[in-house]
C-alpha cells in the first residue's frame, strides 16, 4: 500500500473517530442539558429542561440533581434553592416510567436504582437545610410532586395541575405519597390517591399541596426578586413569597372545587377497605359519588389495595420510614403484572384499556398484599 493511501486511510479513520467522539459528547450534553444547575444571585437554580417530555424525570436527572443539592446545602454563599420547569406546560409530569418498565422487563438494574435514588433525593429535599422553593407552574404529577412537596415552599399558579394518578398504571402514589397524602385535611389525600382526581390552579393551594399562589405571568419577576436578596433568611424569602401571594387575585373568591363534597369524602374514605369504600359510594348514589366509583373501578385492584394500606400505615410513620416502605412496594410492583400492563395501555399502545390481573378486588388476598409490604432484607432502602 502506498504511503499516501495509508495517510488517506489514517485521515479517514481520524475523521470517523472525531465524529464518534462528537456523537458521544453530544449524547452526554443531551443528558447534561436535561437539567440545568446554575448558581444565580444568592441561589442555586435547578431547571428541568425536557419540555418535549413535559420535563419527565429520568435517572440521569436524579443523578445530577442530588449531588448538586448536597453541595449547595453546604455552600455558605448559597442561601436558597429554586426548582422550576421549562416550557410553560409542565413543572414535571412524573417519572420516566416507560423506561423503567422496559428496564424491569429486561431484568436490568435501572428499576432498582431509579426508585432507590429518586427516594433518596425526595428525602434530601425534605431534610435540606436551605430554604427550597418549587415553582410548580403547569402539570405536576408523580415524580414531579416528589421534587416539590417535600420542600419548604411550593408556589402554584393558575396553570398548575396536580394529580397522583398511579393507581391507573398499576403503581401507587409513591415519592412519599404515603407521608404527605394522609396529612392533608380530613380524608382528602385518600380520595386523591385512590381516584387520581386532578386539582387545578388555586385549588392546588387550597388543598395544601402548595404554600403560595402567584399569577404565572409574575413568576419571572418573583424569581428575580428572590435572586436579588442579599444573604436572605428563611423569613426574608417567605416575605417575598407572601407579598406576591397577597397580590394575586386570580380565582381569589372561587370556592374550592371539592368544598361541597368534603364532608362526604371524609366519611366515605374513612372506611377500612377498598370494598367498603365502593359499597358506600354505590349506596350514596349521588352523581359525584358515582363519578368517583367509575374512576375507582378503572384502577388496578392490586394498586387500590396497596395504596389504601400504604396511606393508613404512612399516617403514623416518618418520611424515611414511608420511603423505605414505598421502595419495597416499588420493587414488588416491578416484579408483578399490573405496572407493565398499565404502562402498555396508557403510554405504549394507548388503548386505555388495561387488563388487570387479578381483575377483581376479591382476588387480591391479604397474603398477596403482605408480600408487597415485605422487607427486602439487605436490599432495603437505606439513607
Amino acid at each position: 500500500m502506498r504511503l499516501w493511501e495509508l495517510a488517506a486511510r489514517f485521515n479517514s479513520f481520524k475523521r470517523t473517530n472525531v465524529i464518534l467522539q462528537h456523537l458521544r459528547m453530544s449524547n452526554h450534553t443531551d443528558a447534561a442539558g436535561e437539567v440545568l444547575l446554575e448558581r444565580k444571585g444568592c441561589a442555586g437554580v435547578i431547571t428541568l429542561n425536557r419540555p418535549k417530555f413535559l420535563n419527565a424525570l429520568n435517572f440521569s436527572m436524579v443523578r445530577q440533581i442530588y449531588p448538586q443539592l448536597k453541595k449547595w446545602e453546604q455552600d455558605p454563599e448559597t442561601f436558597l434553592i429554586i426548582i422550576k420547569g421549562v416550557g410553560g406546560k409542565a413543572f414535571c409530569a412524573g417519572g420516566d416510567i416507560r423506561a423503567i418498565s422496559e428496564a424491569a422487563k429486561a431484568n436490568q438494574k435501572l428499576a432498582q436504582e431509579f426508585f432507590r435514588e429518586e427516594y433518596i433525593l425526595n428525602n434530601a429535599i425534605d431534610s435540606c437545610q436551605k430554604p427550597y422553593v418549587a415553582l410548580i407552574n403547569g402539570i405536576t404529577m408523580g415524580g414531579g410532586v416528589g421534587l416539590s412537596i417535600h420542600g419548604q415552599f411550593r408556589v402554584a399558579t393558575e396553570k398548575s395541575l396536580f394529580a397522583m394518578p398511579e393507581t391507573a398504571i398499576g403503581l401507587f402514589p409513591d415519592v412519599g405519597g404515603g407521608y404527605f397524602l394522609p396529612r392533608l385535611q380530613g380524608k382528602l389525600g385518600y380520595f386523591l390517591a385512590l381516584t387520581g382526581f386532578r386539582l387545578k390552579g388555586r385549588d392546588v393551594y387550597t388543598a395544601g399541596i402548595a404554600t403560595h399562589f402567584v399569577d404565572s405571568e409574575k413568576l419571572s419577576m418573583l424569581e428575580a426578586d428572590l435572586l436579588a436578596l442579599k444573604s436572605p433568611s428563611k423569613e426574608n424569602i417567605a416575605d417575598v413569597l407572601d407579598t406576591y401571594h397577597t397580590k394575586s387575585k386570580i380565582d381569589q373568591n372561587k370556592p374550592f372545587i371539592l368544598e361541597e363534597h368534603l364532608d362526604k369524602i371524609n366519611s366515605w374514605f374513612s372506611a377500612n377497605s377498598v370494598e367498603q369504600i365502593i359499597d358506600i359510594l354505590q349506596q350514596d348514589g349521588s352523581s359525584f359519588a358515582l363519578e368517583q366509583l367509575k374512576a375507582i373501578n378503572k384502577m388496578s385492584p392490586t394498586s387500590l389495595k396497596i395504596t389504601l394500606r400504604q396511606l393508613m400505615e404512612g399516617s403514623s410513620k416518618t418520611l424515611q420510614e414511608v420511603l423505605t416502605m414505598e421502595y419495597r412496594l416499588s420493587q414488588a410492583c416491578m416484579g408483578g403484572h399490573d405496572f407493565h400492563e398499565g404502562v402498555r395501555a396508557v403510554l405504549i399502545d394507548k388503548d386505555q384499556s388495561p387488563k388487570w390481573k387479578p381483575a377483581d378486588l376479591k382476588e387480591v388476598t391479604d397474603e398477596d398484599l403482605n408480600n408487597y409490604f415485605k422487607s427486602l432484607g439487605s436490599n432495603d432502602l437505606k439513607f
Side-chain angles (χ1 to χ4, degrees), residues 193-214:
L194 294 169
T195 63
F197 189 89
R198 296 173 165 207
L199 294 171
K200 295 173 185 167
R202 198 176 277 269
D203 288 340
V204 177
Y205 164 74
T206 314
I209 302 298
T211 56
H212 294 81
F213 182 87
V214 171

Side-chain angles (χ1 to χ4, degrees), residues 15 130 157 172 184 223 230 243 260 273 279 292 310 313 321 351 357 371 376 383:
R15 215 172 25 251
K130 301 281 166 82
T157 75
F172 57 94
L184 296 176
E223 189 185 341
K230 297 280 176 273
T243 303
E260 57 184 301
S273 71
D279 284 347
Q292 305 326 310
Q310 170 207 359
E313 291 195 10
E321 288 167 343
D351 56 31
K357 280 184 198 168
N371 283 331
L376 298 170
F383 297 97

Side-chain angles (χ1 to χ4, degrees), residues 34 47-58 61 84-96 137 139 143-144 147:
E34 289 173 338
T47 308
L48 308 173
N49 189 32
R50 296 181 78 203
K52 278 187 193 155
F53 303 99
L54 299 175
N55 299 323
L57 182 69
N58 64 26
M61 292 161 79
K84 59 181 182 171
V86 159
K89 266 193 186 167
F91 165 67
C92 171
D96 197 341
N137 184 39
I139 301 166
L147 289 177

